[in-house]
Amino acid sequence: MNLVKPRVGLEINAMTEYLNHAISRTGNVITLPPQPVADGCPTGLYDGHNRRIDYLRISVTDRCNLSCIYCGDGRCDNLPHEAILTYEEITRTAGILAGMGISHVRLTGGEPLVRPKVDVLITMLKRLGGIDEISMTTNGTLLDRWSDLLKKAGLGRVNVSVDSLKADRFREITRGGDLARVLAGISSAKRAGLNPVKINTVVMPGVNDDEIIDFARWTLDGAANVRFIEQMPFTHNAGSVSVADMTTTIESAFGRLEPVFEHGSGPASYFRLPRASGTIGFIKPVSNCFCDNCNRLRLTADGKLRLCLLDDSELDLKPMLRSDLTDAEIALALHQAIIKKPARHHLADGIVPEKLMRQIGG
Ligand code: SAM
């Protein structure tokens, strides 16, 4: 059945009972007539490899007030404003995807807090049916003035990137960042109840790997939940410290790490030091590809649906959102793209994305 003429360069042919059911699930998009769903038909959104997809990371801007050495290239080739999705366009896309099975949204960037009135976007997303959780990844520099507003708007929790606990080194890694402001931001997020606040630390050999023990110590009194991330080679052929080596370093200083059955929506595995109240997480995109359990999609600031962080295939949604396509027609295009989500990334073969992390949305 040919449902939609290829008005924006897309052939959209298929419609399944499953999709009809998914679209009507939350009431966000009810433009397709309801159809009976066969008993036993799975609900939710699945890709072509039978992975359940329920997590959307939305980059609200490609702009950032820092320029971390592993993330950007220090250039200011930001997208023009008209290329960026409006809050209405982001909310519409999230609503369509929520109707298909997305239940957790994370706002990221660039730096999400440099886009004006990001609390308004959170309120708009919160009003959508079907999204159970809204979280944010931020560099924390503006958090102290935002935490209360974000909480009030409906944000659940924040992850804050901190790659050094030494002020000078922090400034170098971030090309100008102020560690004290970030620490103040973390405190304000905790006070506002954006808990658990998780710290993201990219471990870079020869740059900050001598601070693994200091970061681990931060978890002892519950002041922090730290997630160590293996560096992915976005900006240069960067080396990475393996999680096995990080574990050895931590255990030789503090004793055995105990597994913790806490989880977010992501690929981290969590542990705790003896008698510690904070947790230590490890994310290993390099040494242990976790693609088999990948549950996520990304929406870039300029409206590309990205199916895999490390694969450049994208669906350009912006022309569709700015055309007369209906929500149902866009849902069909989304569905056809999601079915083709790549099975895995190819970092091990040296294949890295052309875009930088800040352009994709980390
Ligand atoms: N500006 C926000 C921040 O700093 O958290 C959000 C955007 S940032 C791109 C999101 C996350 O991506 C951060 O936690 C950062 O550490 C991570 N990231 C960026 N480049 C990376 C790389 N090359 N390898 C591993 N993680 C990276």
Side-chain angles (χ1 to χ4, degrees):
M1 169 170 40
N2 213 350
L3 275 174
V4 183
K5 292 197 194 86
R7 271 177 277 179
V8 284
L10 265 173
E11 281 293 344
I12 305 170
N13 295 314
M15 180 170 72
T16 60
E17 284 180 358
Y18 149 72
L19 181 59
N20 260 322
H21 171 70
I23 286 172
S24 56
R25 187 175 68 96
T26 62
N28 293 328
V29 202
I30 331 181
T31 32
L32 292 180
Q35 295 206 351
V37 178
D39 276 352
C41 178
T43 56
L45 180 60
Y46 288 82
D47 72 1
H49 303 281
N50 211 24
R51 292 171 297 196
R52 186 172 182 151
I53 309 297
D54 57 10
Y55 181 24
L56 174 67
R57 294 175 78 103
I58 299 175
S59 175
V60 299
T61 177
D62 64 330
R63 285 156 206 260
C64 190
N65 52 350
L66 300 181
S67 183
C68 299
I69 52 175
Y70 53 78
C71 183
D73 51 9
R75 298 215 315 261
C76 294
D77 51 347
N78 296 318
L79 292 164
H81 286 296
E82 62 278 11
I84 303 271
L85 293 191
T86 64
Y87 285 166
E88 287 73 19
E89 288 166 339
I90 292 174
T91 306
R92 183 180 175 203
T93 306
I96 296 170
L97 284 164
M100 296 166 73
I102 293 291
S103 57
H104 177 188
V105 164
R106 175 173 292 277
L107 303 183
T108 181
E111 170 49 40
L113 294 181
V114 302
R115 182 150 175 188
K117 299 189 179 150
V118 75
D119 56 320
V120 172
L121 174 63
I122 293 167
T123 306
M124 291 163 77
L125 292 169
K126 197 70 192 168
R127 284 200 195 117
L128 293 170
I131 295 181
D132 306 329
E133 187 179 351
I134 304 176
S135 55
M136 178 180 283
T137 299
T138 169
N139 63 34
T141 50
L142 303 172
L143 251 185
D144 55 344
R145 66 175 92 137
W146 271 102
S147 290
D148 289 330
L149 272 174
L150 296 175
K151 179 70 184 176
K152 209 165 144 209
L155 191 73
R157 57 194 174 83
V158 285
N159 291 356
V160 184
S161 303
V162 186
D163 301 311
S164 176
L165 296 172
K166 300 175 195 284
D168 289 353
R169 184 182 281 174
F170 183 87
R171 196 172 307 113
E172 277 171 35
I173 292 173
T174 56
R175 297 188 175 108
D178 179 352
L179 178 63
R181 282 187 69 186
V182 176
L183 297 178
I186 292 168
S187 300
S188 78
K190 286 183 186 165
R191 274 196 310 276
L194 295 168
N195 292 308
V197 176
K198 293 182 183 169
I199 308 299
N200 285 346
T201 303
V202 177
V203 183
M204 295 162 273
V207 178
N208 65 350
D209 53 346
D210 57 343
E211 291 189 64
I212 290 173
I213 288 178
D214 294 338
F215 275 103
R217 188 176 293 114
W218 208 9
T219 70
L220 287 175
D221 62 358
N225 299 286
V226 175
R227 299 168 354 138
F228 294 107
I229 306 174
E230 289 176 348
Q231 179 179 208
M232 292 177 278
F234 272 89
T235 45
H236 49 285
N237 198 9
S240 73
V241 180
S242 75
V243 164
D245 287 347
M246 295 182 213
T247 306
T248 306
T249 304
I250 294 169
E251 290 192 331
S252 50
F254 298 103
R256 210 159 174 70
L257 284 164
E258 299 153 7
V260 175
F261 298 102
E262 174 216 327
H263 27 258
S265 327
S269 42
Y270 289 97
F271 298 84
R272 202 186 291 282
L273 287 171
R275 294 175 296 286
S277 38
T279 55
I280 291 179
F282 295 108
I283 304 181
K284 346 179 195 179
V286 180
S287 69
N288 180 20
C289 149
F290 36 74
C291 306
D292 287 349
N293 297 317
C294 185
N295 62 343
R296 60 187 57 188
L297 301 171
R298 287 183 155 79
L299 180 64
T300 65
D302 59 346
K304 308 276 192 333
L305 179 83
R306 196 164 168 107
L307 303 159
C308 166
L309 171 64
L310 298 164
D311 184 291
D312 282 317
S313 46
E314 295 174 334
L315 173 69
D316 193 359
L317 286 168
K318 195 171 55 189
M320 296 187 216
L321 293 164
R322 294 181 183 176
S323 74
D324 59 354
L325 286 182
T326 65
D327 288 357
E329 289 165 344
I330 293 175
L332 284 169
L334 285 166
H335 189 248
Q336 291 210 324
I338 291 163
I339 281 191
K340 294 185 192 137
K341 182 172 158 68
R344 54 200 313 106
H345 68 66
H346 296 284
L347 265 191
D349 308 319
I351 300 175
V352 292
E354 277 178 20
K355 286 186 175 174
L356 296 169
M357 193 72 147
R358 73 173 168 81
Q359 295 168 321
I360 300 168

